[in-house]
Amino acid sequence: MQNKNNNNNMFGNIEKKTGVNMNDILKLANSLSNANFKDENTVRRVIQQVAQLAGKRVPKEKEDMLVKSILSNNMPMDLNSLTKMMK
Protein backbone atom coordinates (compact mmCIF):
# COMPACT_ATOMS: atom_id res chain seq x y z
CA MET A 1 0.00 0.00 0.00
CA GLN A 2 2.83 2.40 0.85
CA ASN A 3 4.49 1.67 -2.52
CA LYS A 4 1.28 2.72 -4.32
CA ASN A 5 1.17 5.96 -2.30
CA ASN A 6 4.83 6.64 -3.14
CA ASN A 7 4.07 6.12 -6.86
CA ASN A 8 1.06 8.45 -6.67
CA ASN A 9 3.18 11.11 -4.94
CA MET A 10 5.92 10.70 -7.53
CA PHE A 11 3.43 10.99 -10.42
CA GLY A 12 1.82 13.99 -8.75
CA ASN A 13 5.20 15.70 -8.45
CA ILE A 14 6.00 15.01 -12.10
CA GLU A 15 2.63 16.42 -13.16
CA LYS A 16 3.22 19.58 -11.10
CA LYS A 17 6.72 20.12 -12.51
CA THR A 18 5.91 19.35 -16.15
CA GLY A 19 2.24 20.25 -16.42
CA VAL A 20 1.74 16.98 -18.29
CA ASN A 21 -0.90 14.49 -17.18
CA MET A 22 0.65 11.16 -16.21
CA ASN A 23 -2.18 9.25 -17.91
CA ASP A 24 -1.18 10.93 -21.19
CA ILE A 25 2.46 9.98 -20.63
CA LEU A 26 1.53 6.38 -19.84
CA LYS A 27 -0.68 6.17 -22.94
CA LEU A 28 2.18 7.46 -25.07
CA ALA A 29 4.61 5.02 -23.46
CA ASN A 30 2.26 2.11 -24.15
CA SER A 31 1.83 3.16 -27.78
CA LEU A 32 5.63 3.19 -28.18
CA SER A 33 6.26 -0.27 -26.78
CA ASN A 34 6.28 -1.85 -30.26
CA ALA A 35 7.26 1.22 -32.28
CA ASN A 36 9.87 0.79 -35.00
CA PHE A 37 12.51 3.39 -34.21
CA LYS A 38 14.35 2.53 -37.43
CA ASP A 39 11.46 4.02 -39.44
CA GLU A 40 11.82 7.76 -40.05
CA ASN A 41 8.06 8.42 -40.19
CA THR A 42 7.55 6.67 -36.85
CA VAL A 43 10.38 8.64 -35.24
CA ARG A 44 8.98 11.94 -36.53
CA ARG A 45 5.50 11.03 -35.27
CA VAL A 46 6.88 10.23 -31.82
CA ILE A 47 8.82 13.51 -31.66
CA GLN A 48 5.69 15.42 -32.65
CA GLN A 49 3.57 13.57 -30.08
CA VAL A 50 6.03 14.27 -27.28
CA ALA A 51 6.27 17.94 -28.28
CA GLN A 52 2.48 18.24 -28.36
CA LEU A 53 2.18 16.55 -24.98
CA ALA A 54 4.74 18.94 -23.52
CA GLY A 55 3.17 21.94 -25.22
CA LYS A 56 6.43 22.75 -26.98
CA ARG A 57 7.22 23.59 -30.57
CA VAL A 58 10.07 21.64 -32.14
CA PRO A 59 11.63 23.54 -35.04
CA LYS A 60 12.18 21.56 -38.25
CA GLU A 61 15.97 21.75 -37.83
CA LYS A 62 15.81 20.32 -34.32
CA GLU A 63 13.38 17.59 -35.43
CA ASP A 64 15.74 16.66 -38.26
CA MET A 65 18.68 16.49 -35.84
CA LEU A 66 16.72 14.30 -33.41
CA VAL A 67 15.55 11.99 -36.19
CA LYS A 68 19.08 11.62 -37.53
CA SER A 69 20.43 10.87 -34.05
CA ILE A 70 17.75 8.31 -33.28
CA LEU A 71 18.03 6.56 -36.65
CA SER A 72 21.82 6.34 -36.40
CA ASN A 73 21.68 5.08 -32.79
CA ASN A 74 23.65 8.13 -31.64
CA MET A 75 21.11 9.11 -28.99
CA PRO A 76 22.76 9.74 -25.65
CA MET A 77 21.18 7.73 -22.88
CA ASP A 78 22.02 9.95 -19.93
CA LEU A 79 19.62 12.67 -18.80
CA ASN A 80 22.14 15.53 -18.96
CA SER A 81 23.00 14.87 -22.60
CA LEU A 82 19.36 14.49 -23.56
CA THR A 83 18.47 17.74 -21.82
CA LYS A 84 21.24 19.61 -23.61
CA MET A 85 20.13 18.12 -26.92
CA MET A 86 16.56 19.35 -26.44
CA LYS A 87 17.56 22.98 -25.71
Side-chain angles (χ1 to χ4, degrees):
M1 185 66 142
Q2 186 174 354
N3 193 23
K4 186 174 182 177
N5 287 336
N6 287 341
N7 284 341
N8 286 338
N9 287 338
M10 181 183 69
F11 288 145
N13 288 336
I14 292 171
E15 286 180 348
K16 285 179 189 175
K17 287 182 181 183
T18 64
V20 179
N21 183 294
M22 284 310 298
N23 287 330
D24 292 339
I25 292 172
L26 294 174
K27 285 179 190 175
L28 176 62
N30 285 332
S31 74
L32 299 179
S33 64
N34 294 319
N36 177 5
F37 285 95
K38 296 293 183 190
D39 175 63
E40 181 176 339
N41 291 327
T42 300
V43 172
R44 287 189 187 280
R45 182 177 46 83
V46 168
I47 291 168
Q48 292 163 3
Q49 286 176 321
V50 171
Q52 182 180 16
L53 202 68
K56 302 286 183 183
R57 184 184 164 282
V58 177
K60 177 77 169 121
E61 304 81 39
K62 183 150 304 210
E63 181 180 313
D64 291 343
M65 186 225 9
L66 289 168
V67 168
K68 182 179 177 184
S69 293
I70 292 168
L71 292 177
S72 66
N73 288 324
N74 287 333
M75 280 302 289
M77 297 318 295
D78 64 280
L79 188 56
N80 284 336
S81 296
L82 287 172
T83 303
K84 287 178 186 174
M85 192 174 205
M86 295 300 284
K87 290 183 177 179

XYZ file of all heavy atoms in Angstrom:
685
model
N 0.814 -1.191 0.000
C 0.000 0.000 0.000
C 0.866 1.266 0.000
O 0.576 2.205 -0.693
C -0.924 -0.038 1.215
C -1.904 1.113 1.251
S -3.051 1.003 -0.103
C -4.516 1.520 0.645
N 1.954 1.235 0.792
C 2.827 2.396 0.850
C 3.510 2.632 -0.498
O 3.700 3.764 -0.914
C 3.873 2.239 1.941
C 4.705 3.496 2.120
C 5.658 3.389 3.297
O 5.630 2.429 4.047
N 6.501 4.377 3.443
N 3.864 1.542 -1.207
C 4.491 1.670 -2.519
C 3.556 2.391 -3.486
O 3.994 3.224 -4.271
C 4.883 0.288 -3.055
C 5.804 0.371 -4.251
O 6.492 1.363 -4.442
N 5.809 -0.671 -5.046
N 2.259 2.071 -3.448
C 1.283 2.722 -4.318
C 1.191 4.214 -3.993
O 1.136 5.044 -4.897
C -0.089 2.062 -4.179
C -1.099 2.580 -5.147
C -2.398 1.810 -5.071
C -3.372 2.336 -6.096
N -4.614 1.583 -6.105
N 1.200 4.551 -2.705
C 1.170 5.959 -2.304
C 2.420 6.691 -2.761
O 2.350 7.835 -3.191
C 1.012 6.090 -0.788
C -0.387 5.739 -0.327
O -1.346 5.814 -1.095
N -0.509 5.345 0.926
N 3.582 6.027 -2.668
C 4.826 6.636 -3.143
C 4.759 6.901 -4.642
O 5.207 7.942 -5.109
C 6.021 5.751 -2.818
C 6.374 5.769 -1.343
O 5.978 6.666 -0.617
N 7.107 4.760 -0.904
N 4.207 5.934 -5.414
C 4.065 6.116 -6.861
C 3.125 7.274 -7.164
O 3.403 8.080 -8.050
C 3.559 4.839 -7.526
C 4.629 3.783 -7.653
O 5.809 4.072 -7.573
N 4.209 2.550 -7.839
N 2.002 7.353 -6.441
C 1.059 8.445 -6.665
C 1.701 9.790 -6.360
O 1.490 10.761 -7.086
C -0.202 8.251 -5.814
C -1.091 7.143 -6.350
O -1.022 6.780 -7.515
N -1.926 6.602 -5.486
N 2.474 9.868 -5.272
C 3.177 11.112 -4.942
C 4.192 11.474 -6.016
O 4.316 12.632 -6.393
C 3.873 10.992 -3.581
C 2.896 11.016 -2.428
O 1.779 11.512 -2.558
N 3.312 10.481 -1.303
N 4.926 10.462 -6.497
C 5.921 10.701 -7.535
C 5.241 11.215 -8.805
O 5.674 12.199 -9.391
C 6.691 9.416 -7.846
C 7.763 9.609 -8.907
S 8.627 8.102 -9.343
C 7.341 7.195 -10.174
N 4.153 10.557 -9.216
C 3.434 10.993 -10.417
C 2.861 12.393 -10.232
O 2.903 13.222 -11.142
C 2.323 10.013 -10.776
C 2.821 8.699 -11.334
C 2.154 7.526 -11.039
C 3.931 8.629 -12.152
C 2.595 6.312 -11.549
C 4.377 7.424 -12.666
C 3.710 6.261 -12.366
N 2.353 12.662 -9.041
C 1.818 13.992 -8.751
C 2.897 15.054 -8.855
O 2.651 16.140 -9.403
N 4.077 14.752 -8.361
C 5.198 15.703 -8.450
C 5.610 15.935 -9.896
O 5.915 17.064 -10.288
C 6.389 15.207 -7.633
C 6.154 15.317 -6.145
O 5.345 16.121 -5.695
N 6.853 14.506 -5.373
N 5.640 14.872 -10.684
C 5.999 15.013 -12.102
C 4.966 15.869 -12.815
O 5.315 16.750 -13.603
C 6.139 13.624 -12.772
C 7.361 12.898 -12.203
C 6.235 13.764 -14.289
C 7.466 11.444 -12.623
N 3.691 15.628 -12.540
C 2.630 16.422 -13.162
C 2.766 17.897 -12.798
O 2.607 18.768 -13.652
C 1.256 15.901 -12.755
C 0.880 14.617 -13.434
C -0.496 14.098 -13.031
O -1.089 14.616 -12.051
O -0.983 13.172 -13.694
N 3.063 18.186 -11.529
C 3.219 19.576 -11.097
C 4.391 20.252 -11.799
O 4.302 21.393 -12.233
C 3.430 19.642 -9.582
C 2.183 19.394 -8.782
C 2.496 19.444 -7.293
C 1.313 18.982 -6.475
N 1.631 18.899 -5.046
N 5.514 19.541 -11.918
C 6.716 20.123 -12.512
C 6.599 20.288 -14.026
O 7.118 21.238 -14.589
C 7.944 19.270 -12.184
C 8.377 19.392 -10.752
C 9.623 18.576 -10.489
C 10.034 18.706 -9.026
N 11.273 17.998 -8.743
N 5.952 19.326 -14.690
C 5.906 19.353 -16.154
C 4.610 19.908 -16.713
O 4.569 20.344 -17.860
C 6.093 17.936 -16.731
O 4.986 17.123 -16.325
C 7.403 17.330 -16.290
N 3.543 19.833 -15.920
C 2.237 20.249 -16.418
C 1.630 19.225 -17.357
O 0.649 19.500 -18.043
N 2.215 18.036 -17.405
C 1.744 16.976 -18.294
C 1.061 15.902 -17.455
O 1.604 15.446 -16.455
C 2.912 16.350 -19.097
C 2.423 15.230 -19.990
C 3.610 17.411 -19.921
N -0.125 15.511 -17.881
C -0.895 14.490 -17.180
C -0.213 13.137 -17.317
O 0.144 12.716 -18.416
C -2.311 14.446 -17.778
C -3.201 13.467 -17.079
O -2.973 12.258 -17.143
N -4.230 13.969 -16.453
N -0.035 12.451 -16.195
C 0.651 11.156 -16.211
C -0.103 10.118 -17.036
O 0.516 9.261 -17.660
C 0.871 10.639 -14.782
C 1.990 11.334 -14.045
S 3.558 11.439 -14.928
C 3.980 9.728 -15.139
N -1.415 10.190 -17.075
C -2.176 9.252 -17.914
C -1.802 9.423 -19.382
O -1.684 8.445 -20.120
C -3.684 9.434 -17.724
C -4.152 8.898 -16.389
O -3.580 7.952 -15.849
N -5.192 9.502 -15.847
N -1.598 10.669 -19.802
C -1.178 10.927 -21.186
C 0.211 10.362 -21.446
O 0.474 9.790 -22.510
C -1.196 12.424 -21.486
C -2.598 13.006 -21.494
O -3.573 12.226 -21.658
O -2.728 14.230 -21.320
N 1.103 10.519 -20.482
C 2.459 9.983 -20.630
C 2.421 8.463 -20.700
O 3.089 7.853 -21.543
C 3.363 10.446 -19.463
C 3.594 11.953 -19.565
C 4.695 9.700 -19.470
C 4.306 12.550 -18.372
N 1.627 7.841 -19.836
C 1.529 6.376 -19.835
C 0.909 5.862 -21.131
O 1.353 4.842 -21.665
C 0.739 5.901 -18.615
C 1.424 6.169 -17.267
C 0.497 5.809 -16.112
C 2.736 5.422 -17.160
N -0.088 6.562 -21.657
C -0.685 6.165 -22.943
C 0.363 6.238 -24.057
O 0.454 5.343 -24.895
C -1.871 7.063 -23.287
C -3.113 6.773 -22.500
C -4.230 7.734 -22.886
C -5.399 7.627 -21.948
N -6.441 8.631 -22.231
N 1.131 7.312 -24.062
C 2.180 7.456 -25.072
C 3.210 6.340 -24.921
O 3.597 5.712 -25.912
C 2.860 8.821 -24.958
C 4.039 9.052 -25.912
C 3.590 8.988 -27.364
C 4.702 10.377 -25.615
N 3.629 6.077 -23.706
C 4.612 5.021 -23.460
C 4.088 3.669 -23.947
O 4.824 2.904 -24.584
C 4.965 4.953 -21.980
N 2.834 3.376 -23.681
C 2.256 2.111 -24.148
C 2.208 2.045 -25.668
O 2.460 0.994 -26.252
C 0.848 1.911 -23.568
C 0.889 1.510 -22.113
O 1.846 0.905 -21.653
N -0.152 1.860 -21.384
N 1.903 3.160 -26.311
C 1.834 3.159 -27.778
C 3.213 2.984 -28.406
O 3.329 2.566 -29.553
C 1.180 4.440 -28.286
O 2.041 5.545 -28.169
N 4.265 3.286 -27.657
C 5.630 3.191 -28.178
C 6.276 1.839 -27.939
O 7.347 1.569 -28.470
C 6.507 4.267 -27.535
C 6.089 5.702 -27.777
C 7.033 6.640 -27.049
C 6.033 6.012 -29.247
N 5.626 0.992 -27.171
C 6.263 -0.265 -26.784
C 6.657 -1.124 -27.977
O 7.648 -1.837 -27.915
C 5.372 -1.048 -25.822
O 4.172 -1.410 -26.465
N 5.933 -1.056 -29.066
C 6.275 -1.847 -30.255
C 6.638 -0.971 -31.450
O 6.629 -1.431 -32.583
C 5.116 -2.776 -30.628
C 4.881 -3.839 -29.579
O 5.825 -4.405 -29.043
N 3.633 -4.099 -29.271
N 6.947 0.290 -31.190
C 7.258 1.217 -32.279
C 8.590 0.851 -32.926
O 9.528 0.409 -32.268
C 7.318 2.644 -31.753
N 8.657 1.058 -34.231
C 9.866 0.789 -35.003
C 10.688 2.075 -35.082
O 10.419 2.947 -35.908
C 9.499 0.299 -36.408
C 10.711 0.070 -37.275
O 11.845 0.173 -36.835
N 10.471 -0.249 -38.531
N 11.702 2.183 -34.237
C 12.512 3.389 -34.212
C 13.591 3.400 -35.287
O 14.487 4.236 -35.257
C 13.105 3.592 -32.813
C 12.086 4.094 -31.830
C 11.408 3.217 -31.008
C 11.774 5.431 -31.762
C 10.448 3.666 -30.120
C 10.818 5.897 -30.881
C 10.153 5.014 -30.063
N 13.483 2.496 -36.243
C 14.345 2.527 -37.428
C 13.592 3.139 -38.611
O 14.153 3.336 -39.678
C 14.808 1.106 -37.800
C 15.674 0.456 -36.742
C 16.990 1.162 -36.629
C 17.896 0.490 -35.620
N 19.071 1.285 -35.338
N 12.306 3.440 -38.402
C 11.460 4.025 -39.436
C 11.360 5.535 -39.217
O 10.906 5.985 -38.160
C 10.072 3.383 -39.388
C 9.112 4.027 -40.368
O 9.376 3.942 -41.581
O 8.105 4.608 -39.908
N 11.776 6.304 -40.194
C 11.820 7.765 -40.050
C 10.442 8.352 -39.746
O 10.317 9.244 -38.903
C 12.394 8.407 -41.309
C 12.491 9.917 -41.193
C 13.151 10.571 -42.392
O 13.889 9.895 -43.131
O 12.928 11.780 -42.567
N 9.406 7.883 -40.424
C 8.065 8.420 -40.185
C 7.610 8.165 -38.754
O 6.988 9.025 -38.132
C 7.057 7.836 -41.178
C 7.294 8.338 -42.580
O 7.722 9.470 -42.792
N 7.039 7.486 -43.559
N 7.911 6.991 -38.231
C 7.553 6.667 -36.847
C 8.288 7.585 -35.884
O 7.693 8.122 -34.944
C 7.886 5.196 -36.525
O 7.141 4.349 -37.398
C 7.575 4.848 -35.087
N 9.572 7.785 -36.112
C 10.380 8.636 -35.235
C 9.849 10.068 -35.258
O 9.694 10.697 -34.209
C 11.868 8.585 -35.637
C 12.689 9.603 -34.860
C 12.420 7.177 -35.430
N 9.532 10.575 -36.427
C 8.985 11.941 -36.527
C 7.644 12.046 -35.801
O 7.383 13.029 -35.109
C 8.830 12.358 -37.985
C 10.159 12.648 -38.646
C 10.004 13.276 -40.016
N 11.299 13.381 -40.657
C 12.197 14.353 -40.405
N 11.904 15.297 -39.550
N 13.362 14.367 -41.014
N 6.808 11.035 -35.936
C 5.501 11.031 -35.275
C 5.679 11.057 -33.756
O 5.003 11.806 -33.058
C 4.686 9.810 -35.701
C 3.292 9.762 -35.096
C 2.487 8.571 -35.599
N 3.211 7.309 -35.592
C 3.348 6.533 -34.514
N 2.834 6.888 -33.373
N 4.011 5.392 -34.593
N 6.619 10.273 -33.264
C 6.880 10.227 -31.821
C 7.380 11.589 -31.327
O 6.921 12.096 -30.299
C 7.886 9.115 -31.476
C 8.383 9.244 -30.045
C 7.266 7.746 -31.718
N 8.300 12.194 -32.042
C 8.824 13.509 -31.659
C 7.679 14.522 -31.615
O 7.568 15.306 -30.666
C 9.935 13.963 -32.629
C 11.176 13.082 -32.456
C 10.283 15.440 -32.414
C 12.221 13.251 -33.545
N 6.818 14.494 -32.605
C 5.690 15.421 -32.647
C 4.704 15.165 -31.515
O 4.185 16.111 -30.911
C 4.998 15.339 -34.009
C 5.869 15.876 -35.121
C 5.426 15.455 -36.510
O 4.416 14.785 -36.671
N 6.189 15.850 -37.516
N 4.473 13.893 -31.182
C 3.566 13.566 -30.077
C 4.124 14.051 -28.743
O 3.390 14.613 -27.926
C 3.323 12.054 -29.999
C 2.425 11.525 -31.086
C 2.293 10.009 -31.018
O 3.251 9.300 -30.739
N 1.089 9.519 -31.289
N 5.404 13.835 -28.535
C 6.032 14.268 -27.285
C 5.999 15.795 -27.188
O 5.683 16.355 -26.136
C 7.473 13.727 -27.163
C 8.203 14.358 -25.992
C 7.450 12.213 -27.043
N 6.294 16.477 -28.277
C 6.270 17.939 -28.279
C 4.857 18.448 -27.983
O 4.686 19.370 -27.180
C 6.747 18.462 -29.632
N 3.861 17.831 -28.593
C 2.477 18.241 -28.358
C 2.093 18.013 -26.899
O 1.480 18.872 -26.270
C 1.541 17.468 -29.284
C 0.088 17.868 -29.130
C -0.827 17.096 -30.056
O -0.448 16.072 -30.603
N -2.030 17.585 -30.221
N 2.475 16.884 -26.370
C 2.178 16.551 -24.980
C 2.810 17.570 -24.032
O 2.202 17.981 -23.050
C 2.715 15.149 -24.673
C 2.108 14.396 -23.521
C 0.666 14.027 -23.830
C 2.899 13.131 -23.263
N 4.016 17.989 -24.360
C 4.742 18.943 -23.524
C 4.353 20.392 -23.811
O 4.771 21.305 -23.108
C 6.242 18.773 -23.725
N 3.559 20.588 -24.859
C 3.170 21.940 -25.219
C 4.320 22.759 -25.766
O 4.381 23.969 -25.602
N 5.246 22.083 -26.432
C 6.433 22.749 -26.981
C 6.431 22.639 -28.501
O 5.926 21.687 -29.074
C 7.716 22.096 -26.459
C 7.853 22.088 -24.973
C 8.192 23.438 -24.459
C 8.393 23.390 -22.958
N 8.657 24.672 -22.403
N 7.031 23.624 -29.127
C 7.223 23.594 -30.569
C 8.636 23.090 -30.839
O 9.592 23.558 -30.217
C 7.052 24.994 -31.139
C 7.135 25.036 -32.639
C 7.053 26.474 -33.143
N 7.493 26.539 -34.515
C 8.755 26.525 -34.930
N 9.725 26.469 -34.056
N 9.055 26.578 -36.203
N 8.754 22.138 -31.751
C 10.071 21.635 -32.141
C 10.341 22.131 -33.559
O 9.676 21.718 -34.507
C 10.127 20.085 -32.092
C 11.480 19.587 -32.569
C 9.831 19.579 -30.695
N 11.301 23.043 -33.701
C 11.627 23.543 -35.041
C 12.072 22.401 -35.957
O 12.603 21.385 -35.505
C 12.791 24.508 -34.792
C 12.752 24.818 -33.331
C 12.144 23.633 -32.665
N 11.845 22.579 -37.243
C 12.175 21.562 -38.248
C 13.633 21.133 -38.137
O 13.943 19.938 -38.228
C 11.877 22.113 -39.646
C 12.233 21.192 -40.775
C 11.215 20.090 -40.947
C 11.470 19.350 -42.252
N 11.725 17.955 -42.062
N 14.544 22.075 -37.921
C 15.972 21.752 -37.831
C 16.247 20.833 -36.640
O 17.025 19.892 -36.738
C 16.826 23.022 -37.680
C 16.627 24.056 -38.763
C 15.398 24.936 -38.544
O 15.103 25.331 -37.403
O 14.717 25.220 -39.542
N 15.609 21.133 -35.519
C 15.813 20.318 -34.318
C 15.195 18.935 -34.519
O 15.779 17.922 -34.134
C 15.206 20.979 -33.090
C 15.490 20.162 -31.844
C 15.598 20.959 -30.594
C 16.628 22.026 -30.719
N 17.307 22.412 -29.545
N 14.011 18.881 -35.143
C 13.378 17.588 -35.432
C 14.281 16.755 -36.328
O 14.487 15.563 -36.074
C 12.018 17.791 -36.094
C 11.302 16.492 -36.399
C 9.961 16.699 -37.050
O 9.177 17.536 -36.572
O 9.683 16.005 -38.059
N 14.835 17.370 -37.358
C 15.742 16.655 -38.264
C 16.953 16.106 -37.514
O 17.368 14.968 -37.739
C 16.214 17.567 -39.403
C 15.107 17.918 -40.382
O 14.057 17.226 -40.394
O 15.281 18.895 -41.138
N 17.523 16.927 -36.611
C 18.683 16.493 -35.839
C 18.320 15.312 -34.934
O 19.061 14.336 -34.851
C 19.224 17.643 -34.986
C 20.510 17.290 -34.288
S 20.724 17.721 -32.541
C 19.220 18.274 -31.918
N 17.161 15.392 -34.278
C 16.718 14.303 -33.410
C 16.473 13.027 -34.201
O 16.884 11.938 -33.793
C 15.449 14.710 -32.656
C 15.629 15.760 -31.572
C 14.269 16.293 -31.116
C 16.402 15.193 -30.400
N 15.816 13.160 -35.338
C 15.546 11.992 -36.187
C 16.855 11.343 -36.617
O 17.016 10.125 -36.504
C 14.699 12.387 -37.419
C 14.647 11.263 -38.447
C 13.289 12.780 -36.988
N 17.790 12.148 -37.088
C 19.077 11.618 -37.531
C 19.789 10.893 -36.390
O 20.326 9.793 -36.577
C 19.955 12.758 -38.061
C 21.280 12.308 -38.595
C 22.087 13.476 -39.127
C 23.446 13.010 -39.596
N 24.283 14.122 -40.031
N 19.778 11.489 -35.201
C 20.435 10.875 -34.048
C 19.782 9.555 -33.667
O 20.459 8.571 -33.379
C 20.398 11.816 -32.851
O 21.188 12.938 -33.097
N 18.470 9.533 -33.657
C 17.749 8.312 -33.281
C 17.979 7.215 -34.315
O 18.264 6.068 -33.965
C 16.248 8.597 -33.090
C 16.045 9.487 -31.862
C 15.453 7.291 -32.954
C 14.652 10.063 -31.723
N 17.865 7.557 -35.588
C 18.028 6.559 -36.651
C 19.450 6.002 -36.709
O 19.652 4.845 -37.080
C 17.631 7.136 -38.008
C 16.146 7.440 -38.185
C 15.895 8.085 -39.540
C 15.293 6.185 -38.025
N 20.425 6.806 -36.339
C 21.816 6.341 -36.398
C 22.285 5.764 -35.059
O 23.467 5.474 -34.907
C 22.732 7.485 -36.830
O 22.750 8.491 -35.848
N 21.365 5.609 -34.125
C 21.683 5.076 -32.793
C 22.697 5.928 -32.050
O 23.452 5.429 -31.229
C 22.188 3.630 -32.861
C 21.089 2.674 -33.187
O 19.952 2.847 -32.750
N 21.410 1.658 -33.957
N 22.730 7.223 -32.335
C 23.655 8.128 -31.642
C 22.963 8.915 -30.538
O 23.448 9.957 -30.131
C 24.290 9.109 -32.636
C 25.313 8.432 -33.505
O 25.915 7.440 -33.109
N 25.516 8.953 -34.693
N 21.828 8.423 -30.071
C 21.112 9.112 -28.994
C 21.832 8.863 -27.683
O 22.081 7.720 -27.322
C 19.675 8.598 -28.869
C 18.728 9.170 -29.871
S 18.597 10.956 -29.840
C 17.721 11.233 -28.341
N 22.171 9.932 -26.971
C 22.763 9.742 -25.651
C 21.716 9.174 -24.702
O 20.539 9.477 -24.826
C 23.167 11.162 -25.238
C 22.316 12.060 -26.065
C 22.005 11.320 -27.331
N 22.135 8.360 -23.771
C 21.185 7.727 -22.884
C 21.188 8.319 -21.481
O 20.429 7.914 -20.643
C 21.454 6.213 -22.807
C 21.286 5.490 -24.141
S 19.879 5.977 -25.159
C 18.490 5.487 -24.192
N 22.045 9.329 -21.242
C 22.017 9.951 -19.926
C 21.189 11.234 -19.983
O 21.100 11.894 -21.022
C 23.436 10.231 -19.415
C 24.160 11.236 -20.264
O 24.679 10.845 -21.340
O 24.205 12.415 -19.879
N 20.560 11.566 -18.870
C 19.618 12.670 -18.798
C 20.260 14.011 -19.134
O 19.677 14.834 -19.842
C 18.963 12.717 -17.421
C 17.819 13.693 -17.246
C 16.727 13.445 -18.273
C 17.256 13.603 -15.855
N 21.478 14.259 -18.678
C 22.140 15.530 -18.956
C 22.339 15.753 -20.443
O 22.065 16.841 -20.965
C 23.495 15.608 -18.244
C 23.359 15.881 -16.773
O 22.361 16.430 -16.328
N 24.371 15.508 -16.013
N 22.788 14.739 -21.153
C 23.004 14.871 -22.599
C 21.689 15.070 -23.332
O 21.604 15.879 -24.252
C 23.717 13.643 -23.142
O 25.004 13.523 -22.578
N 20.671 14.332 -22.926
C 19.359 14.490 -23.562
C 18.792 15.877 -23.334
O 18.244 16.497 -24.247
C 18.377 13.423 -23.027
C 18.609 12.009 -23.503
C 17.701 11.036 -22.748
C 18.387 11.876 -24.997
N 18.964 16.395 -22.134
C 18.467 17.736 -21.817
C 19.167 18.784 -22.656
O 18.542 19.665 -23.219
C 18.663 18.037 -20.314
O 17.984 17.025 -19.560
C 18.124 19.394 -19.942
N 20.484 18.669 -22.783
C 21.240 19.614 -23.611
C 20.811 19.535 -25.063
O 20.722 20.541 -25.759
C 22.742 19.325 -23.499
C 23.326 19.733 -22.175
C 24.794 19.375 -22.092
C 25.339 19.644 -20.706
N 26.722 19.180 -20.555
N 20.527 18.332 -25.531
C 20.132 18.124 -26.917
C 18.782 18.780 -27.222
O 18.545 19.258 -28.327
C 20.067 16.618 -27.188
C 19.941 16.257 -28.615
S 20.051 14.465 -28.731
C 20.628 14.323 -30.387
N 17.899 18.813 -26.234
C 16.562 19.347 -26.437
C 16.502 20.857 -26.346
O 15.509 21.459 -26.726
C 15.594 18.743 -25.419
C 15.396 17.255 -25.569
S 14.747 16.794 -27.175
C 13.040 17.266 -26.964
N 17.568 21.508 -25.857
C 17.561 22.983 -25.711
C 17.802 23.656 -27.015
O 18.331 23.199 -27.934
C 18.588 23.419 -24.676
C 18.171 23.029 -23.290
C 19.164 23.547 -22.299
C 18.676 23.210 -20.898
N 19.598 23.659 -19.884
